[in-house]
Amino acid sequence: MNTGTGAGTGSHAERKAAWAVGGSFFAGVLMLVAGAVDILQGIAAVRGNAVFNRVTGYAYTFNLGSWGWIHIALGILVALTGLALLMRVPMARYVGIALAVVYFVAQFMYLPYAPVWAFVGMALAAFVIWALTTDRGASLTGSRS
């Protein structure tokens, strides 16, 4: 009979660690997808697509083309970081957290232009932040077992 008293003993800790590592893997996939969608969204904005709402009187108003270039650059960085997470690059976890915060803020500022995608993007960013900050498994050490 195991009567260990330390943290991390028993199957509950193993299940919790497996969930966090799975969440971290899923965060990498989400970052790849969100980055690709952000690139496409940026291209549509640069081209002046009529899909986006015309906004007046908004505190964070930029030219729609400027927002497009911001989203293209951010989308490339987010997608590359997602790929690095899937490859278990140790630094990718920290870069992913920072980029997810920037992505969250960018989506908040983009709310009037594409409200539905902005809310979805903010939810994805929040999940990515949670998954990467709770990961205590193999991706923390960068081991490729």
Side-chain angles (χ1 to χ4, degrees):
M1 183 168 152
N2 186 358
T3 59
T5 58
T9 59
S11 64
H12 177 70
E14 292 169 7
R15 277 195 313 266
K16 191 172 182 181
W19 166 252
V21 171
S24 183
F25 178 80
F26 188 53
V29 172
L30 282 179
M31 287 184 82
L32 267 173
V33 171
V37 169
D38 218 28
I39 291 168
L40 295 175
Q41 184 179 16
I43 291 170
V46 167
R47 295 194 61 194
N49 200 325
V51 170
F52 299 103
N53 297 329
R54 298 291 174 217
V55 177
T56 57
Y58 183 53
Y60 305 111
T61 302
F62 283 114
N63 175 332
L64 191 57
S66 299
W67 271 119
W69 287 111
I70 290 169
H71 281 277
I72 289 171
L74 189 57
I76 291 169
L77 292 173
V78 168
L80 289 175
T81 303
L83 184 62
L85 278 169
L86 294 176
M87 295 171 59
R88 294 186 180 173
V89 174
M91 218 37 215
R93 182 172 162 234
Y94 303 107
V95 173
I97 293 167
L99 275 177
V101 170
V102 171
Y103 187 80
F104 186 94
V105 171
Q107 292 301 324
F108 174 77
M109 292 173 63
Y110 205 62
L111 265 169
Y113 298 98
V116 174
W117 176 250
F119 276 117
V120 170
M122 288 189 297
L124 293 177
F127 174 79
V128 167
I129 293 166
W130 171 83
L132 295 179
T133 55
T134 58
D135 182 6
R136 301 285 180 233
S139 66
L140 181 62
T141 61
S143 64
R144 297 176 188 243
S145 53

